[in-house]
Amino acid sequence: MPLETPPGYRPLNDGSLPDFLAELPEVARRLGGAASDWRVAEVGDGNLNLVFLVEGPGGGVCVKQALPYVRMVGESWPMPLERTLFEHECLREHGRHVGRLIPEIYHYDPALFAIVMERLEPHIIMRRGMIRGIRYPRSLFFTSDLAMPAAGKKRLMATFCGNTELCKITEDLIFSDPYRVHERNRWTAPQLDGIAAEFRADPALKLAVSRLKLRFLSAAEALIHGDLHTGSVMATESDTRVIDAEFAFYGPMGFDVGAMVANLLLNYFSQDGHATAADPRDSYQEWVLETVEQLWHRFAEKFLGLWRGHGVGDAYQAELFADAASLAALEGERQAYVRRLFADMLGFAAAKMIRRILGLAKVIDLEGIEDRDRRALCEMRCLRLARELMVGAAGYATIAGVTAAARELRRLGVERL
Ligand code: SR1
Ligand code: MG
């Protein structure tokens, strides 16, 4: 039986999309010509939605529409269409703080659960190009208690409180499934059977991931993107845009930064599965690690700068810190906050690395390695680093310590992992 959907909803297709867009004067003007001139291609390669690129004589647009189920699985896994509403709300709110770091929105259709937005060109998905880091601290800072009055933040939180199903995907797929036997799990077998069993039987690891899950459930620090991997970033050499905010909710800031770091580290280790004598990857791998370091340093610097210059939220009220001694104490507090964020970030990064190897949804960086022994070696190195980071986050004082640990692991063969 087909899934029930609200009146007015229908999945768009190549045939119906031009008629829908022709009803939107601003979009039709942007495309130019007549609806019959517009070329439509469905290009969605994500796990959940339909994504269309539409090209007209005057220009292009991108249309993203929710399906009532998880695309990668099918109708057996229903999923609320409202995720598009949350994505649209998040784009609006983040847009106030990050401007051109997200695509421009031309139209939101609440009945079709579709967003018509800027077609990003010549941008490519960062995972495919691995181009550059991302400037994301602004939206985290400006949607937090450090910058917002309590009532405003609570109103915004209320908007995103309903995004429960998408949060549940994360709660299950990232913080639970890899640590239990579950039919959704898959990994490179038989090579990783042993380490998968070891992780399921590792009390310290299960405690550490459970603490992270508790933070994910309860730390409403900022309006986070919620799925900020390198497939959610489109870039050229001079422009970076964040897409796909449907997992947005009020959560821990370290989750977003950790997601980026995790995906960079997955890419770092995966390069050994793609390197050939004619195409060595060592210097590229060094560049990836430099990017990890820069990402964290730029994030921390920017975040601290924003707090010093714009800390007008209800937390740490400025009037309490007017004298020199109080100001010095507040600066110490800021540094401590960023240190705590760093530890959070490492834990979330680790959880994200583990889920991409032992859980349901994979990354092409590793999946694209055809030789299974070679892939498993790369994956084992990722898993060993991730376990170390998750259980021992407190032992890492700097991001350079993390990149050094990654370099060390890359030297180890399968017998020592
Ligand atoms: C069932 S959805 C699987 C994954 O795809 C999305 O990109 C998120 O990462 C989610 O966890
Ligand atoms: Mg996505």
Side-chain angles (χ1 to χ4, degrees), residues 8 55 61 70 84 116 128 199 233 257 288 307 331 390 416:
E55 209 52 59
V61 299
V70 173
T84 313
V116 185
R128 295 185 185 274
F199 276 23
V233 177
V257 195
V288 176
W307 192 346
E331 182 56 24
M390 197 188 287
R416 294 183 58 201

Side-chain angles (χ1 to χ4, degrees), residues 261-275 281 284-285 288-289 353 357 365-366 369 374-386 389 402-412 417:
V261 166
N263 280 270
L264 291 171
L265 289 171
L266 290 172
N267 182 275
Y268 168 77
F269 286 111
S270 77
Q271 295 293 337
D272 289 312
H274 301 289
R281 300 289 174 97
Y284 188 77
Q285 284 171 295
V288 176
L289 291 187
M353 290 169 77
I357 297 170
D365 318 44
L366 290 161
I369 304 169
R374 220 171 150 192
R375 187 203 304 164
L377 174 60
C378 300
E379 291 174 332
M380 291 271 264
R381 290 170 177 156
C382 294
L383 289 172
R384 287 293 173 216
L385 179 65
L389 292 181
V402 175
T403 53
R407 268 185 213 99
E408 275 302 306
L409 271 161
R410 207 188 136 219
R411 292 200 192 101
L412 301 186
L417 285 164

Side-chain angles (χ1 to χ4, degrees), residues 47-48 70 72 77 169 173 227 229 247 355-356 360-361:
N47 298 326
L48 295 175
V70 173
M72 74 183 293
W77 191 347
I169 290 181
L173 267 56
D227 195 25
H229 51 80
F247 284 78
R355 66 78 58 112
R356 293 293 184 196
L360 171 69

Side-chain angles (χ1 to χ4, degrees), residues 224-277:
I224 67 170
H225 178 283
D227 195 25
L228 192 58
H229 51 80
T230 44
S232 295
V233 177
M234 294 191 75
T236 66
E237 284 196 19
S238 58
D239 189 39
T240 305
R241 306 291 185 96
V242 176
I243 60 169
D244 264 4
E246 65 214 318
F247 284 78
F249 83 115
Y250 256 85
M253 298 186 195
F255 189 78
D256 274 356
V257 195
M260 281 308 293
V261 166
N263 280 270
L264 291 171
L265 289 171
L266 290 172
N267 182 275
Y268 168 77
F269 286 111
S270 77
Q271 295 293 337
D272 289 312
H274 301 289
T276 61

